[in-house]
Amino acid sequence: MKKFNIRKVLDGLKEQASSSVSSGQSGAPENNLMHETLQSENFQLCKTVRHGFPYQPSSMAHDPVQKILAIGTQSGALRLFGRPGVECYCQHESGAAVISLQFLINEGALVSALADDSVHLWNLRQRRPAILHSLKFNRERITFVHLPFQSKWLYIGTEKGNIHIVNVESFTLSGYVIMWNKAIELSSKAHPGPVVHISDNPMDEGKLIIGYEAGIVVLWDLKSKKADYRYTYDEAIHSVAWHHEGKQFICSHSDGTLTIWNIKGQGKPFQTITPHGKQPKDGKKPEPCKPILKVEYKTTRLGDPFMILSGGLSYDTVGRRPCLTVMHGKSTAVLEMDYPIVDFLTLCETPYSNDFQEPYAVVVLLEKDLVVIDLAQNGYPIFENPYPLTIHESPVTCCEYFADCPVDLIPALYSVGSRQKRQGYSKKEWPISGGNWGLGTQSYPEIIITGHADGTVKFWDASAIMLQVLYKLKTAKVFEKSRNNKEDKQNTEIVEEDPFAIQIMAWCPESRMLCVAGVSANLIIYRFSKQEITTEVVQLLEVRLQYEVNDMESPPEGGGGGDRDLPTPGAASPSPQTTGPPTHPSTSSNSSDGVRDNVPCLKVRSTPLKQSSGYQVELVVQLVWVSGEPPQQITSLALNSSYGLIVFGNSNGLAVVDYLQKTVLLNLGTVELYGSNDPYQRQARSPRKARQPAGGNGLCDINEGSASEDRCKSPTSDHRDNSFSRSRSSSVTSIDKEAREAITSFHFCETFARKGDSAITPCLYVGTSLGTVLAVALNLPPAGEQRLLQPVIVLPSGTLARLKGSILRMAFLDNTGTFLPPAFETWYEPNAAGADSEERDKARKRRPVSVSPSTSQELQESQYAVVCSEKQAKVIALPSQNCIFKHSITETSFVLRADVVQMNIGNCVACFCANGHIMTLSLPGLRPLLDVNYLPLTDMRIARTFCFTNLGQAMYLTSPTEIQRITYSQETCENLQEMLGELFTPVETPEAPNRGFFKGLFGGGATSLDREELFGETQAGKASRGLAQHIPGPQGLEGMKGAASGVVADLARARIALDERGQKLGELDERTAAMLASADSFGKHAHDMMLKCKDKKWYQF
């Protein structure tokens, strides 16, 4: 039964009431301006796909026939991988760690055992796997699980040392139990410890080997229910592996040794090896080493066997990275890994344990990576990993998501990115190749951009629910690497770690211009080029942004762009400051009392910079120290390729930079934007007082750290994952007079700069943390050469609106409700020569692409400005500046991310709140269309990375290593089933190995066991009732045979049912014919007998 939430209903009624009241107050009815095409039935929220490396992996399994890999995590997640592009994510409801995974090989099913002592059976024959059965143990803790190939009986070892047996088909316990006290010798007084290994003898299914942690191994006879042999070693056991002939097995121990045992020689091991131990000359035992956590023993038909192990290094190898050791014949290869090894599996040609294994690869699951090693090639090279598992190579600090990009963009990024690929991979194809791709109906290009802590920016192709890295940009190359001397430390000390971390990104897909803001108050502007160049001197601008109410009228001297006056033609001269930043110490850096001034946080490199094809540095902008106060981090950023402008802001103010002329056009404190119309009573203060962090969408504002060292911490530092809270009030009526008003958002547009204007002009709209929207008029010279010679005039032109809370997003609609994107320039090759350069000049002289209405339009054909803050949304008619629609989004929480997005049949505002709600509002009427309590915000990562994009797509970083994509489009939700890949494909199981004539004659081959008879209820009896509780899955038994849901699957099932019915009818027909023939034969024989006996007397019989 569905839970009824009265609070939700009341909240909904309150929201609707406030919405209708505010609409009524503005003097407009509901929405008689234009017809709104989007309705609530167009929206539905669901998860689509999860990309990236499984966070905190704990176990792994492989199906050698289906060629599918499964990885379980410590949070109960299950990730399944097939061929590149076939991935699946499932979640156990309990969230307990997955301790073991076992495939039902080639059956389309998987068994998972969790740390909460539950066992689950997953059906993989459907596109979204589901649990069919669960079994929860009440009295014993599960430590090991084993399912023999082609068996339906699952062995479960426990912490008490007992082994229980489960029927996988019905998920019921057998009455057959192997008790620990029966397995070990009666004379033994100590408990043998938990079960660490169970496996059956490859040549005799009736013999089971049981490994106990304390060092005891038992060969158990299942039929006679007693131990045949016991093998004791004085070191703890971590794992056991069989030789395929079933006459020997190998154990790995806690002292770094391997012991090889003959099954009939139980006294002492046949051989003891210490792979990494130093062998003393006097014949003593080698020094103990670290534990060998796992060993696998794989045989080949023609060569030496492989012994593969993890751990076992000697204790004197301090600081050495984790290793996987491959012992093959006399050679031993030690393969170093980047992260600790969680588990490894050897991939073999055969699923049968009683045949030569023929290993060809090793899958190594590391804490933060998945590595597959090619065993068939010399030097054991690794396979190139085709999955998008490197999202977390450096921690992600910010994300942007773009749907419906220009079609030539992905091929362009791929062509420059393909040159960055590493060499030396295995020549073979990726061995995990199971499953089939879905039938994707989405054809539009999608790109995700991730910014990272080490300054890298990665572009990903996210089209059709797949993810593939396209191109990687290293922004730290622009700066000099700091040496560990005091001089450099003083220069960069405001950022404790990750000084190159990316904080905000602005990207124009059409012109391919990119601008990134770093955590050290720096900006880098990039152009895209397909040609390599060498930049002799990196172009640099230094900007001095400060917040001093009492010193407003006397701007400080020094620093590029320090003057606050409106620019004059001389100020915008095209000769930029091209020298590097002043070295420390210098006369401009320090005043007489040692206070740092005019010093940037990072040094731009002074040597020539070789730039390969792709993104190339156009200009670097750095904020400098002001009178001993470090620059505030950048909280907002915008780029317009048509105007050739970049604008950025922080808690001090904003600066507009002309990147074509390499000049600072405007450098204003926030207060100065208001001019004489400042509505807030601000207290004059010196910048050296204790600061409060910026209010906008910066990375450090939400945890409200106030010390300067906290403010400049990297976005990857530890506090980012703390619980999410905000102490400051966003209400305009209760402003803290000490609080700085930060710049939180920008929007370039062609609109009406002032109230009552008759013509549209290029403008910049500015949003602040106190909820004010201000307009700045831009006077641009004509396109072409004039644009490079004449100055751009920038003029603040007043306040447009005030809202509650920080301004997050602004957008514009025309008078029909159509979205008006900012003007843009189409991409051209910046490094072209000859005929290509003529094309470039033509492109430059061309009128920039603008989708704004014509300048000669009449006043009533107005535009609508859409403004969204942390608390509310407004639609304002232009040029009258009347608020025609207003909606209170949330009273008790605040909006973290808001975007104006284009759907297939209209536009809407999409919001994500700190209380976990995802909402959409219609445009221009601001009617609530969707409100779903999706996920409670538990850490900063989600807030920092959540983004909406067009066509109903959204994403966020669900863990430090994984991207979760969601959709809020009903159409995408309906088509999702077809888009997802299939994990299970019908494959013939390989033939069992041939026993051979002599083995069949003399009984030397594998011996089978009737487990059904042995473990079934008739012979073994019923299991103890309180031991485990059976929980049927939501799908029941039918799920095993059901493929994906939907019409296609129903048809497939109907066809299979018809085939089966036809087959059964055919068999019935054949049986009837056989019975008729048999009856005829019997009648004929009876007639013959009657004729023969007709004339005989009784005594002749």
Tab-separated table of all heavy atoms in Angstrom, residues 1043-1084:
chain	number	residue	atom	x	y	z
A	1043	ALA	N	12.109	-11.959	-20.326
A	1043	ALA	CA	13.144	-11.026	-20.806
A	1043	ALA	C	12.700	-9.640	-20.384
A	1043	ALA	O	11.984	-9.478	-19.413
A	1043	ALA	CB	13.270	-11.148	-22.312
A	1044	ALA	N	13.099	-8.612	-21.114
A	1044	ALA	CA	12.734	-7.252	-20.753
A	1044	ALA	C	11.234	-7.069	-20.888
A	1044	ALA	O	10.577	-7.766	-21.645
A	1044	ALA	CB	13.457	-6.291	-21.678
A	1045	SER	N	10.710	-6.102	-20.131
A	1045	SER	CA	9.282	-5.822	-20.251
A	1045	SER	C	9.020	-5.061	-21.535
A	1045	SER	O	9.932	-4.679	-22.237
A	1045	SER	CB	8.843	-4.986	-19.057
A	1045	SER	OG	9.510	-3.763	-19.084
A	1046	GLY	N	7.746	-4.821	-21.818
A	1046	GLY	CA	7.412	-4.084	-23.040
A	1046	GLY	C	6.857	-5.012	-24.102
A	1046	GLY	O	6.864	-6.235	-23.975
A	1047	VAL	N	6.389	-4.401	-25.192
A	1047	VAL	CA	5.720	-5.139	-26.265
A	1047	VAL	C	6.633	-6.163	-26.909
A	1047	VAL	O	6.247	-7.298	-27.163
A	1047	VAL	CB	5.207	-4.139	-27.336
A	1047	VAL	CG1	4.476	-4.865	-28.453
A	1047	VAL	CG2	4.284	-3.116	-26.701
A	1048	VAL	N	7.906	-5.736	-27.150
A	1048	VAL	CA	8.862	-6.636	-27.822
A	1048	VAL	C	9.039	-7.914	-27.014
A	1048	VAL	O	8.991	-9.030	-27.548
A	1048	VAL	CB	10.223	-5.921	-27.998
A	1048	VAL	CG1	11.236	-6.846	-28.632
A	1048	VAL	CG2	10.054	-4.669	-28.842
A	1049	ALA	N	9.206	-7.732	-25.690
A	1049	ALA	CA	9.415	-8.893	-24.827
A	1049	ALA	C	8.172	-9.769	-24.768
A	1049	ALA	O	8.259	-10.997	-24.775
A	1049	ALA	CB	9.785	-8.420	-23.433
A	1050	ASP	N	6.994	-9.127	-24.696
A	1050	ASP	CA	5.752	-9.900	-24.667
A	1050	ASP	C	5.602	-10.755	-25.924
A	1050	ASP	O	5.207	-11.921	-25.859
A	1050	ASP	CB	4.541	-8.965	-24.538
A	1050	ASP	CG	4.483	-8.310	-23.162
A	1050	ASP	OD1	5.105	-8.876	-22.239
A	1050	ASP	OD2	3.852	-7.257	-23.030
A	1051	LEU	N	5.921	-10.141	-27.081
A	1051	LEU	CA	5.859	-10.880	-28.336
A	1051	LEU	C	6.836	-12.053	-28.326
A	1051	LEU	O	6.516	-13.160	-28.752
A	1051	LEU	CB	6.174	-9.954	-29.523
A	1051	LEU	CG	5.054	-8.976	-29.934
A	1051	LEU	CD1	5.587	-7.966	-30.907
A	1051	LEU	CD2	3.891	-9.733	-30.563
A	1052	ALA	N	8.057	-11.749	-27.812
A	1052	ALA	CA	9.080	-12.807	-27.755
A	1052	ALA	C	8.607	-13.958	-26.874
A	1052	ALA	O	8.741	-15.132	-27.239
A	1052	ALA	CB	10.386	-12.231	-27.219
A	1053	ARG	N	8.008	-13.592	-25.719
A	1053	ARG	CA	7.521	-14.635	-24.812
A	1053	ARG	C	6.388	-15.443	-25.454
A	1053	ARG	O	6.327	-16.656	-25.331
A	1053	ARG	CB	7.052	-14.001	-23.500
A	1053	ARG	CG	8.187	-13.708	-22.539
A	1053	ARG	CD	7.660	-13.502	-21.136
A	1053	ARG	NE	6.931	-12.247	-21.020
A	1053	ARG	CZ	7.498	-11.081	-20.753
A	1053	ARG	NH1	8.795	-11.006	-20.591
A	1053	ARG	NH2	6.776	-9.986	-20.644
A	1054	ALA	N	5.491	-14.730	-26.149
A	1054	ALA	CA	4.380	-15.414	-26.816
A	1054	ALA	C	4.901	-16.373	-27.881
A	1054	ALA	O	4.410	-17.511	-28.013
A	1054	ALA	CB	3.437	-14.386	-27.443
A	1055	ARG	N	5.928	-15.895	-28.615
A	1055	ARG	CA	6.495	-16.736	-29.672
A	1055	ARG	C	7.158	-17.975	-29.070
A	1055	ARG	O	6.986	-19.094	-29.563
A	1055	ARG	CB	7.513	-15.921	-30.484
A	1055	ARG	CG	7.924	-16.600	-31.774
A	1055	ARG	CD	8.592	-15.657	-32.753
A	1055	ARG	NE	9.790	-15.071	-32.209
A	1055	ARG	CZ	9.923	-13.757	-31.977
A	1055	ARG	NH1	8.946	-12.929	-32.265
A	1055	ARG	NH2	11.034	-13.280	-31.478
A	1056	ILE	N	7.894	-17.771	-27.968
A	1056	ILE	CA	8.548	-18.912	-27.297
A	1056	ILE	C	7.482	-19.895	-26.811
A	1056	ILE	O	7.614	-21.115	-26.971
A	1056	ILE	CB	9.433	-18.414	-26.125
A	1056	ILE	CG1	10.650	-17.658	-26.679
A	1056	ILE	CG2	9.883	-19.562	-25.244
A	1056	ILE	CD1	11.371	-16.812	-25.646
A	1057	ALA	N	6.385	-19.337	-26.223
A	1057	ALA	CA	5.310	-20.204	-25.720
A	1057	ALA	C	4.672	-21.014	-26.847
A	1057	ALA	O	4.392	-22.211	-26.698
A	1057	ALA	CB	4.248	-19.354	-25.023
A	1058	LEU	N	4.464	-20.347	-28.001
A	1058	LEU	CA	3.902	-21.048	-29.160
A	1058	LEU	C	4.838	-22.156	-29.638
A	1058	LEU	O	4.407	-23.261	-29.958
A	1058	LEU	CB	3.642	-20.059	-30.299
A	1058	LEU	CG	2.344	-19.222	-30.192
A	1058	LEU	CD1	2.340	-18.118	-31.222
A	1058	LEU	CD2	1.113	-20.111	-30.385
A	1059	ASP	N	6.139	-21.800	-29.705
A	1059	ASP	CA	7.133	-22.805	-30.120
A	1059	ASP	C	7.096	-24.010	-29.190
A	1059	ASP	O	7.108	-25.158	-29.626
A	1059	ASP	CB	8.539	-22.188	-30.132
A	1059	ASP	CG	8.726	-21.212	-31.289
A	1059	ASP	OD1	7.857	-21.197	-32.182
A	1059	ASP	OD2	9.726	-20.476	-31.291
A	1060	GLU	N	7.080	-23.693	-27.866
A	1060	GLU	CA	7.069	-24.779	-26.883
A	1060	GLU	C	5.804	-25.629	-27.029
A	1060	GLU	O	5.845	-26.853	-26.969
A	1060	GLU	CB	7.159	-24.194	-25.466
A	1060	GLU	CG	8.546	-23.696	-25.111
A	1060	GLU	CD	8.590	-23.060	-23.729
A	1060	GLU	OE1	7.538	-22.972	-23.078
A	1060	GLU	OE2	9.693	-22.645	-23.314
A	1061	ARG	N	4.645	-24.930	-27.258
A	1061	ARG	CA	3.380	-25.656	-27.411
A	1061	ARG	C	3.410	-26.550	-28.655
A	1061	ARG	O	3.003	-27.719	-28.618
A	1061	ARG	CB	2.232	-24.637	-27.505
A	1061	ARG	CG	0.852	-25.249	-27.448
A	1061	ARG	CD	-0.185	-24.185	-27.100
A	1061	ARG	NE	-1.525	-24.748	-27.232
A	1061	ARG	CZ	-2.321	-24.548	-28.268
A	1061	ARG	NH1	-1.907	-23.801	-29.269
A	1061	ARG	NH2	-3.515	-25.081	-28.323
A	1062	GLY	N	3.943	-25.955	-29.749
A	1062	GLY	CA	4.055	-26.719	-30.993
A	1062	GLY	C	4.951	-27.940	-30.814
A	1062	GLY	O	4.646	-29.037	-31.282
A	1063	GLN	N	6.055	-27.698	-30.087
A	1063	GLN	CA	7.014	-28.788	-29.838
A	1063	GLN	C	6.349	-29.900	-29.021
A	1063	GLN	O	6.478	-31.085	-29.329
A	1063	GLN	CB	8.210	-28.206	-29.068
A	1063	GLN	CG	9.447	-29.076	-29.140
A	1063	GLN	CD	10.611	-28.391	-28.424
A	1063	GLN	OE1	10.627	-27.192	-28.259
A	1063	GLN	NE2	11.564	-29.174	-27.998
A	1064	LYS	N	5.575	-29.471	-27.982
A	1064	LYS	CA	4.915	-30.460	-27.130
A	1064	LYS	C	3.844	-31.243	-27.915
A	1064	LYS	O	3.677	-32.446	-27.737
A	1064	LYS	CB	4.296	-29.769	-25.917
A	1064	LYS	CG	5.347	-29.419	-24.858
A	1064	LYS	CD	4.766	-28.585	-23.739
A	1064	LYS	CE	5.866	-28.214	-22.754
A	1064	LYS	NZ	5.424	-27.215	-21.797
A	1065	LEU	N	3.106	-30.482	-28.769
A	1065	LEU	CA	2.098	-31.156	-29.598
A	1065	LEU	C	2.752	-32.165	-30.539
A	1065	LEU	O	2.248	-33.269	-30.753
A	1065	LEU	CB	1.292	-30.123	-30.407
A	1065	LEU	CG	0.232	-29.338	-29.620
A	1065	LEU	CD1	-0.277	-28.173	-30.437
A	1065	LEU	CD2	-0.930	-30.248	-29.223
A	1066	GLY	N	3.907	-31.743	-31.112
A	1066	GLY	CA	4.661	-32.644	-32.002
A	1066	GLY	C	5.094	-33.893	-31.271
A	1066	GLY	O	4.961	-35.020	-31.778
A	1067	GLU	N	5.588	-33.693	-30.038
A	1067	GLU	CA	6.039	-34.840	-29.234
A	1067	GLU	C	4.851	-35.762	-28.906
A	1067	GLU	O	4.966	-36.986	-28.942
A	1067	GLU	CB	6.679	-34.336	-27.937
A	1067	GLU	CG	8.075	-33.756	-28.151
A	1067	GLU	CD	8.589	-33.064	-26.897
A	1067	GLU	OE1	7.928	-33.133	-25.844
A	1067	GLU	OE2	9.666	-32.445	-26.999
A	1068	LEU	N	3.696	-35.154	-28.591
A	1068	LEU	CA	2.489	-35.927	-28.278
A	1068	LEU	C	2.051	-36.758	-29.489
A	1068	LEU	O	1.690	-37.941	-29.362
A	1068	LEU	CB	1.371	-34.959	-27.863
A	1068	LEU	CG	0.071	-35.593	-27.339
A	1068	LEU	CD1	0.307	-36.341	-26.036
A	1068	LEU	CD2	-1.001	-34.546	-27.172
A	1069	ASP	N	2.132	-36.084	-30.655
A	1069	ASP	CA	1.772	-36.758	-31.908
A	1069	ASP	C	2.667	-37.983	-32.133
A	1069	ASP	O	2.201	-39.074	-32.479
A	1069	ASP	CB	1.920	-35.753	-33.059
A	1069	ASP	CG	1.089	-36.165	-34.273
A	1069	ASP	OD1	0.060	-36.842	-34.086
A	1069	ASP	OD2	1.491	-35.819	-35.401
A	1070	GLU	N	3.968	-37.769	-31.912
A	1070	GLU	CA	4.935	-38.859	-32.102
A	1070	GLU	C	4.669	-39.999	-31.122
A	1070	GLU	O	4.723	-41.183	-31.481
A	1070	GLU	CB	6.364	-38.327	-31.909
A	1070	GLU	CG	6.873	-37.529	-33.108
A	1070	GLU	CD	8.184	-36.818	-32.813
A	1070	GLU	OE1	8.836	-37.177	-31.807
A	1070	GLU	OE2	8.545	-35.913	-33.561
A	1071	ARG	N	4.369	-39.604	-29.854
A	1071	ARG	CA	4.111	-40.637	-28.837
A	1071	ARG	C	2.845	-41.432	-29.175
A	1071	ARG	O	2.788	-42.642	-29.014
A	1071	ARG	CB	3.971	-39.989	-27.450
A	1071	ARG	CG	5.304	-39.719	-26.779
A	1071	ARG	CD	5.170	-39.670	-25.254
A	1071	ARG	NE	4.316	-38.585	-24.812
A	1071	ARG	CZ	4.733	-37.349	-24.580
A	1071	ARG	NH1	6.009	-37.053	-24.765
A	1071	ARG	NH2	3.901	-36.424	-24.174
A	1072	THR	N	1.811	-40.725	-29.680
A	1072	THR	CA	0.555	-41.400	-30.074
A	1072	THR	C	0.819	-42.394	-31.202
A	1072	THR	O	0.324	-43.535	-31.182
A	1072	THR	CB	-0.480	-40.347	-30.520
A	1072	THR	OG1	-0.579	-39.345	-29.525
A	1072	THR	CG2	-1.858	-40.965	-30.733
A	1073	ALA	N	1.605	-41.929	-32.197
A	1073	ALA	CA	1.937	-42.823	-33.337
A	1073	ALA	C	2.701	-44.046	-32.845
A	1073	ALA	O	2.437	-45.185	-33.284
A	1073	ALA	CB	2.757	-42.044	-34.372
A	1074	ALA	N	3.637	-43.819	-31.936
A	1074	ALA	CA	4.439	-44.930	-31.394
A	1074	ALA	C	3.546	-45.917	-30.639
A	1074	ALA	O	3.705	-47.141	-30.741
A	1074	ALA	CB	5.528	-44.376	-30.472
A	1075	MET	N	2.582	-45.373	-29.869
A	1075	MET	CA	1.659	-46.238	-29.120
A	1075	MET	C	0.771	-47.065	-30.069
A	1075	MET	O	0.512	-48.250	-29.830
A	1075	MET	CB	0.778	-45.405	-28.188
A	1075	MET	CG	1.507	-44.937	-26.926
A	1075	MET	SD	0.558	-43.756	-25.980
A	1075	MET	CE	-0.697	-44.805	-25.311
A	1076	LEU	N	0.326	-46.429	-31.170
A	1076	LEU	CA	-0.480	-47.142	-32.177
A	1076	LEU	C	0.317	-48.291	-32.791
A	1076	LEU	O	-0.172	-49.417	-32.936
A	1076	LEU	CB	-0.920	-46.176	-33.281
A	1076	LEU	CG	-2.219	-45.373	-33.017
A	1076	LEU	CD1	-2.379	-44.268	-34.044
A	1076	LEU	CD2	-3.432	-46.301	-33.060
A	1077	ALA	N	1.582	-47.956	-33.150
A	1077	ALA	CA	2.452	-48.983	-33.746
A	1077	ALA	C	2.659	-50.126	-32.767
A	1077	ALA	O	2.635	-51.312	-33.141
A	1077	ALA	CB	3.789	-48.353	-34.148
A	1078	SER	N	2.848	-49.747	-31.507
A	1078	SER	CA	3.081	-50.748	-30.462
A	1078	SER	C	1.828	-51.643	-30.291
A	1078	SER	O	1.925	-52.865	-30.158
A	1078	SER	CB	3.413	-50.047	-29.152
A	1078	SER	OG	3.512	-50.955	-28.115
A	1079	ALA	N	0.635	-51.008	-30.320
A	1079	ALA	CA	-0.621	-51.759	-30.177
A	1079	ALA	C	-0.823	-52.714	-31.360
A	1079	ALA	O	-1.228	-53.869	-31.183
A	1079	ALA	CB	-1.793	-50.778	-30.075
A	1080	ASP	N	-0.525	-52.204	-32.583
A	1080	ASP	CA	-0.618	-53.066	-33.784
A	1080	ASP	C	0.287	-54.279	-33.649
A	1080	ASP	O	-0.111	-55.426	-33.935
A	1080	ASP	CB	-0.221	-52.271	-35.044
A	1080	ASP	CG	-1.336	-51.317	-35.482
A	1080	ASP	OD1	-2.459	-51.445	-34.946
A	1080	ASP	OD2	-1.075	-50.455	-36.334
A	1081	SER	N	1.511	-54.006	-33.226
A	1081	SER	CA	2.503	-55.076	-33.076
A	1081	SER	C	2.013	-56.099	-32.046
A	1081	SER	O	2.120	-57.313	-32.257
A	1081	SER	CB	3.841	-54.456	-32.655
A	1081	SER	OG	4.768	-55.438	-32.339
A	1082	PHE	N	1.496	-55.579	-30.915
A	1082	PHE	CA	1.008	-56.468	-29.857
A	1082	PHE	C	-0.164	-57.341	-30.372
A	1082	PHE	O	-0.217	-58.543	-30.150
A	1082	PHE	CB	0.560	-55.624	-28.657
A	1082	PHE	CG	0.040	-56.448	-27.510
A	1082	PHE	CD1	0.933	-57.143	-26.690
A	1082	PHE	CD2	-1.321	-56.557	-27.239
A	1082	PHE	CE1	0.469	-57.913	-25.650
A	1082	PHE	CE2	-1.792	-57.343	-26.201
A	1082	PHE	CZ	-0.884	-58.017	-25.399
A	1083	GLY	N	-1.094	-56.704	-31.133
A	1083	GLY	CA	-2.238	-57.437	-31.697
A	1083	GLY	C	-1.792	-58.528	-32.666
A	1083	GLY	O	-2.336	-59.640	-32.671
A	1084	LYS	N	-0.798	-58.193	-33.466
A	1084	LYS	CA	-0.281	-59.150	-34.465
A	1084	LYS	C	0.346	-60.357	-33.757
A	1084	LYS	O	0.101	-61.520	-34.123
A	1084	LYS	CB	0.756	-58.433	-35.329
A	1084	LYS	CG	1.162	-59.196	-36.594
A	1084	LYS	CD	2.167	-58.374	-37.386
A	1084	LYS	CE	2.689	-59.206	-38.533
A	1084	LYS	NZ	3.799	-58.525	-39.223
